[in-house]
């Protein structure tokens, strides 16, 4: 989202209007909505105000956000203080717990890179342990494994340590993320944890070594959490 509604970016898309079209097309039977970061594209309060305007107009189910690297500003923290899905407060949906991680750039990260804060990771671990009888899904902004694309220069700087943690925790079998503007599908670690990248509500990236914009339209993911622990994730795109 940008301060100016009419401003267009890649693929000749104005994020305000492409998001509006996505919201109009949403499945209204969902229990909730989770936005996996990069709500703003210019760090402006105006961009967040536009987002809130659209959410209020079109969304009548609970919704939550986790921050992306483009949300590394004070406006995000103030605007979404009541909608944050934080590591210390998982969302409970029936037999499932959904946990959020903040991967915004920190001391060791540069530019659009991300970094796992292991104090937050331990909060997630505590939540998994306290709800050992439930299934667990983890949401973060940055992708965990290399995508074999130009986006890997915007990686998680401590991904290897995070992967080892995921291996040790055992309770998390599914991860969702944003960042790559692509429906990237991967399996993480020896336990082959399912990792689902989400399309962007504006322009899409090609997963290739050189920078490129995909001609795929904006979209979103529908996640069905079954009572046997299976997560079914499908991509929906606007026409």
């Amino acid at each position: 989202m940008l301060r100016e509604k009419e401003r267009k970016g890649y693929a000749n898309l104005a994020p305000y209007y492409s998001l509006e079209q996505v919201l109009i097309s949403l499945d209204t039977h969902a229990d909730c909505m989770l936005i996996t970061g990069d709500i703003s594209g210019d760090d402006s309060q105006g961009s967040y105000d536009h987002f809130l305007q659209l959410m209020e107009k079109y969304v009548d189910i609970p919704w939550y956000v986790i921050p992306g690297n483009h949300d590394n500003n004070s406006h995000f923290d103030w605007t979404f203080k009541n909608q944050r899905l934080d590591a210390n407060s998982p969302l409970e949906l029936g037999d499932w717990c959904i946990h959020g991680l903040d991967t915004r750039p920190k001391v060791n990260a540069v530019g659009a890179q991300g970094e796992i804060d292991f104090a937050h990771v331990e909060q997630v671990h505590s939540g998994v342990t306290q709800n050992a009888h439930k299934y667990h899904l983890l949401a973060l902004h940055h992708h965990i494994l290399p995508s074999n694309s130009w986006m890997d220069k915007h990686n998680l700087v401590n991904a290897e340590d995070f992967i080892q943690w995921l291996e040790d925790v055992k309770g998390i079998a599914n991860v969702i993320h944003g960042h790559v503007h692509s429906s990237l599908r991967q399996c993480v670690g020896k336990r082959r944890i399912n990792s689902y990248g989400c399309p962007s509500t504006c322009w899409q990236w090609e997963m290739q070594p050189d920078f490129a914009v995909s001609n795929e339209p904006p979209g979103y993911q529908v996640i069905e959490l079954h009572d046997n622990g299976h997560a079914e994730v499908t991509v929906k795109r606007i026409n």
Side-chain angles (χ1 to χ4, degrees):
M1 194 68 67
L2 302 169
R3 182 188 291 108
E4 300 86 6
K5 288 184 182 180
E6 309 295 332
R7 183 179 165 191
K8 295 181 178 180
Y10 298 102
N12 201 35
L13 287 173
Y16 179 92
Y17 294 107
S18 62
L19 174 59
E20 183 174 41
Q21 290 304 306
V22 167
L23 294 179
I24 290 171
S25 73
L26 286 178
D27 180 354
T28 56
H29 296 95
D31 293 307
C32 67
M33 183 188 302
L34 178 58
I35 296 93
T36 51
D38 279 1
I39 295 173
S40 178
D42 59 9
D43 287 325
S44 68
Q45 182 61 54
S47 63
Y48 294 123
D49 291 341
H50 291 324
F51 176 83
L52 291 175
Q53 177 190 23
L54 290 175
M55 295 296 284
E56 182 176 353
K57 183 176 181 179
Y58 294 109
V59 180
D60 58 3
I61 58 176
W63 56 272
Y64 307 90
V65 300
I66 58 173
N69 49 279
H70 285 292
D71 300 308
N72 202 11
N73 58 68
S74 59
H75 299 308
F76 175 91
D77 294 320
W78 180 85
T79 301
F80 300 108
K81 57 183 180 295
N82 296 322
Q83 278 87 26
R84 287 277 299 273
L85 182 62
D86 289 321
N88 63 353
S89 55
L91 171 65
E92 296 187 37
L93 288 176
D95 295 324
W96 286 78
C97 285
I98 303 175
H99 307 263
L101 271 183
D102 182 347
T103 61
R104 283 180 290 186
K106 299 176 178 67
V107 175
N108 298 313
V110 177
Q113 285 183 311
E115 185 172 0
I116 296 292
D117 185 331
F118 278 89
H120 294 167
V121 162
E122 286 309 309
Q123 291 174 337
V124 171
H125 197 169
S126 177
V128 172
T129 302
Q130 291 172 20
N131 294 278
H133 59 292
K134 295 196 173 190
Y135 305 109
H136 299 270
L137 181 141
L138 180 65
L140 68 164
H141 178 68
H142 289 79
H143 57 304
I144 301 172
L145 294 177
S147 62
N148 297 318
S149 79
W150 61 275
M151 278 296 291
D152 289 339
K153 65 183 178 182
H154 307 305
N155 62 340
L156 279 175
V157 297
N158 51 354
E160 290 187 6
D161 292 337
F162 182 54
I163 292 169
Q164 185 59 59
W165 176 82
L166 282 170
E167 292 275 22
D168 295 340
V169 169
K170 301 287 192 297
I172 297 171
N174 296 280
V175 175
I176 59 173
H177 65 87
H179 195 48
V180 294
H181 293 221
S182 168
S183 54
L184 182 67
R185 299 295 187 252
Q186 297 177 304
C187 291
V188 179
K190 295 178 181 178
R191 291 202 299 113
R192 298 190 63 77
I193 298 161
N194 298 310
S195 177
Y196 303 97
C198 186
S200 171
T201 59
C202 55
W203 43 81
Q204 315 300 303
W205 300 139
E206 286 282 9
M207 296 290 94
Q208 63 181 44
D210 296 325
F211 172 81
V213 179
S214 169
N215 59 8
E216 291 181 304
Y220 61 98
Q221 293 191 137
V222 175
I223 304 171
E224 296 183 57
L225 301 176
H226 298 280
D227 56 12
N228 64 356
H230 175 64
E232 185 176 347
V233 185
T234 54
V235 171
K236 306 288 186 180
R237 295 187 185 274
I238 62 175
N239 297 322

